[in-house]
Amino acid sequence: MAAAAVVAPQAEASESWYLALLGFAEHFRTSSPPKIRLCVHCLQAVFQFKPPQRIEARTHLQLGSVLYHHTKNSELARQHLEKAWFISQQIPQFEDVKFEAASLLSELYCRENSVDSAKPLLRKAIQISQQTPYWHCRLLFQLAQLHTLEKDLVSACDLLGVGAEYARVVGSEYTRALFLLSKGMLLLMERKLQEVHPLLTLCGQIVENWQGNPIQKESLRVFFLVLQVTHYLDAGQVKSVKPCLKQLQQCIQTISTLHDDEILPSNPADLFHWLPKEHMCVLVYLVTVMHSMQAGYLEKAQKYTDKALMQLEKLKMLDSSPILSSFQVILLEHIIMCRLVTGHKATALQEISQVCQLCQQSPRLFSNHAAQLHTLLGLYCISVNCMDNAEAQFTTALRLTTHQELWTFIVTNLASVYIREGNRHQELYSLLERINPDHNFPVSSHCLRAAAFYIRGLFSFFQGRYNEAK
């Protein structure tokens, strides 16, 4: 049950019946396997004693938490969490229960697709939590993440900016850096490169000047360097990446030698961590694979993909974090392209099937990667000379994506299909207009711009216009 473990704070521990019921509930919850039904019965029995408000609110929170995390009874979990949130607002100095209930209840609303209920709840909790730095920061992060999932990156960036300023005021440079780096990540997603440069410069200064827990410092540095590397790769500046990538690999080696200190930070606003170090290690492998693919080091890409996938398999045995499945899908997407370039078509098809299975386990993964899946199938169809099928896959992918880089990549490949078919000049001219590298090219990537020049050159060559092709 994590944060809402079945234990009684000192002020609420005076009743022997209460302690006995909590003891039983915790025993059943931590049994192997957990006996959740019995745990719930013990907690529900607390209400038979007409407990004081503090105990009543805390018990509703504990019941809501157990039902949310261990059962499928969302309706009952929601009722208990709503009661915990309502009652706790009437009790002074009861922040832990009040904000834990708000946070968990908004999570539950999101899981039930009631985002419109989650937002005002989080806004109210943020408004009344300003004297509680840990919860104020945590709730700001939570609402920013909700806006990000809804693709409302402007609102998310605004909230992260508010969080960074609040962290500065309460003297937490560490959490200020986390807010700013998160904002930088969203600005990169929005392609607001003019705003990214000064923000990353400021983040670099904060990270270098911050003196605190070594693991926290190194994890900030990893976050900062990952953003720099992806920024260069997005722009197709493969050579500029190398110094940052080298630093990133050194950072991850440093982190793996450090021991997690159990000493809690003195400032409650510092009680955050970006990623577990095992996840950071996989992420560094992932950006290394991305760089190797762009630079054409296909053997290196293969080597690091194998290492990352092996580590992911081990982690997924113990950890159900959805980010691990995202890492796995992105790694497979890269290695599939690698297989197609090196002529290992059957293996590529098996790995495409693997991506499909992973995406089917999560609706969000599927919606985020459906266009990429159709693109990969289109590339496979080209490799086995099935041009009609390739065209159908690329056309579907174009319909599913709003991502400019992916759109440009698909259009470039679709143009190559039309060139190979030889009788699709009208459609081809229309596509070439949309990816003219000399005029209003839709993206800033040097690689995609080079691909657009290549496609135009190829078309001119097949039409016998050799000087133009050259």
Side-chain angles (χ1 to χ4, degrees), residues 307-348:
K307 282 185 176 184
L309 289 173
M310 205 181 302
Q311 188 143 347
L312 275 169
E313 286 306 320
K314 287 181 196 166
L315 286 174
K316 285 180 90 170
M317 288 176 193
L318 308 164
D319 184 348
S320 60
S321 173
I323 200 169
L324 295 179
S325 295
S326 294
F327 287 163
Q328 197 173 353
V329 166
I330 298 167
L331 279 161
L332 285 167
E333 285 172 355
H334 279 80
I335 203 61
I336 289 161
M337 289 189 283
C338 192
R339 305 270 193 231
L340 291 171
V341 171
T342 54
H344 297 92
K345 299 165 196 177
T347 314

Side-chain angles (χ1 to χ4, degrees), residues 95 99 125-126 128-141 163 166-172 175 179 266-272:
E95 274 66 22
F99 299 127
I126 286 166
I128 60 177
S129 63
Q130 293 193 25
Q131 303 308 312
T132 317
Y134 166 71
W135 276 110
H136 192 64
C137 291
R138 181 169 154 180
L139 293 162
L140 280 166
F141 274 127
Y166 176 82
R168 187 190 67 77
V169 169
V170 296
S172 172
T175 302
F179 274 115
S266 55
N267 188 339
D270 284 348
L271 285 166
F272 294 95

Side-chain angles (χ1 to χ4, degrees), residues 28-64:
F28 290 130
R29 188 185 75 83
T30 54
S31 298
S32 185
K35 297 172 182 172
I36 297 304
R37 196 165 59 85
L38 295 174
C39 170
V40 168
H41 282 326
C42 292
L43 289 170
Q44 283 174 329
V46 170
F47 301 125
Q48 302 299 317
F49 291 85
K50 303 284 186 290
Q53 266 198 325
R54 292 177 87 85
I55 290 178
E56 186 187 358
R58 190 177 290 279
T59 306
H60 278 303
L61 171 61
Q62 289 165 336
L63 270 164

Side-chain angles (χ1 to χ4, degrees), residues 192-380:
K192 291 191 173 172
L193 303 184
Q194 297 303 315
E195 293 177 50
V196 170
H197 294 302
L199 189 69
L200 284 182
T201 305
L202 174 62
C203 288
Q205 290 164 357
I206 295 172
V207 172
E208 287 314 308
N209 295 335
W210 187 69
Q211 300 302 317
N213 178 316
I215 282 199
Q216 284 184 309
K217 185 177 176 81
E218 289 303 313
S219 76
L220 281 181
R221 194 177 274 141
V222 169
F223 195 172
F224 171 67
L225 288 167
V226 163
L227 291 186
Q228 281 210 309
V229 168
T230 48
H231 179 32
Y232 284 132
L233 288 177
D234 266 355
Q237 295 173 318
V238 179
K239 288 178 183 172
S240 310
V241 173
K242 282 190 174 177
C244 294
L245 195 56
K246 201 167 183 183
Q247 276 181 278
L248 189 51
Q249 287 159 348
Q250 285 165 350
C251 263
I252 210 70
Q253 284 174 340
T254 306
I255 285 183
S256 56
T257 62
L258 294 170
H259 296 290
D260 292 317
D261 294 329
E262 292 302 317
I263 306 157
L264 289 175
S266 55
N267 188 339
D270 284 348
L271 285 166
F272 294 95
H273 199 54
W274 176 50
L275 278 179
K277 61 183 177 185
E278 298 79 12
H279 292 197
M280 280 191 259
C281 186
V282 176
L283 181 58
V284 173
Y285 281 143
L286 175 55
V287 293
T288 305
V289 168
M290 289 164 73
H291 173 256
S292 302
M293 283 292 295
Q294 273 204 32
Y297 307 141
L298 300 187
E299 282 179 18
K300 191 176 173 187
Q302 172 99 45
K303 184 179 90 172
Y304 280 106
T305 300
D306 291 342
K307 282 185 176 184
L309 289 173
M310 205 181 302
Q311 188 143 347
L312 275 169
E313 286 306 320
K314 287 181 196 166
L315 286 174
K316 285 180 90 170
M317 288 176 193
L318 308 164
D319 184 348
S320 60
S321 173
I323 200 169
L324 295 179
S325 295
S326 294
F327 287 163
Q328 197 173 353
V329 166
I330 298 167
L331 279 161
L332 285 167
E333 285 172 355
H334 279 80
I335 203 61
I336 289 161
M337 289 189 283
C338 192
R339 305 270 193 231
L340 291 171
V341 171
T342 54
H344 297 92
K345 299 165 196 177
T347 314
L349 197 56
Q350 286 168 357
E351 285 162 344
I352 290 173
S353 167
Q354 222 180 315
V355 174
C356 282
Q357 287 164 11
L358 279 166
C359 287
Q360 280 167 345
Q361 293 163 20
S362 156
R364 213 174 96 234
L365 257 187
F366 194 76
S367 71
N368 285 344
H369 290 267
Q372 288 91 315
L373 256 173
H374 285 287
T375 305
L376 291 169
L377 283 166
L379 294 174
Y380 171 78

Side-chain angles (χ1 to χ4, degrees), residues 398 401 403-414 434-435 441-443 448-449 451-452:
L398 283 174
T401 190
H403 192 277
Q404 283 282 34
E405 270 78 1
L406 183 58
W407 182 89
T408 309
F409 180 78
I410 297 164
V411 168
T412 310
N413 280 286
L414 184 55
R434 296 161 83 184
I435 52 163
F441 192 63
V443 293
L448 286 170
R449 208 156 162 251

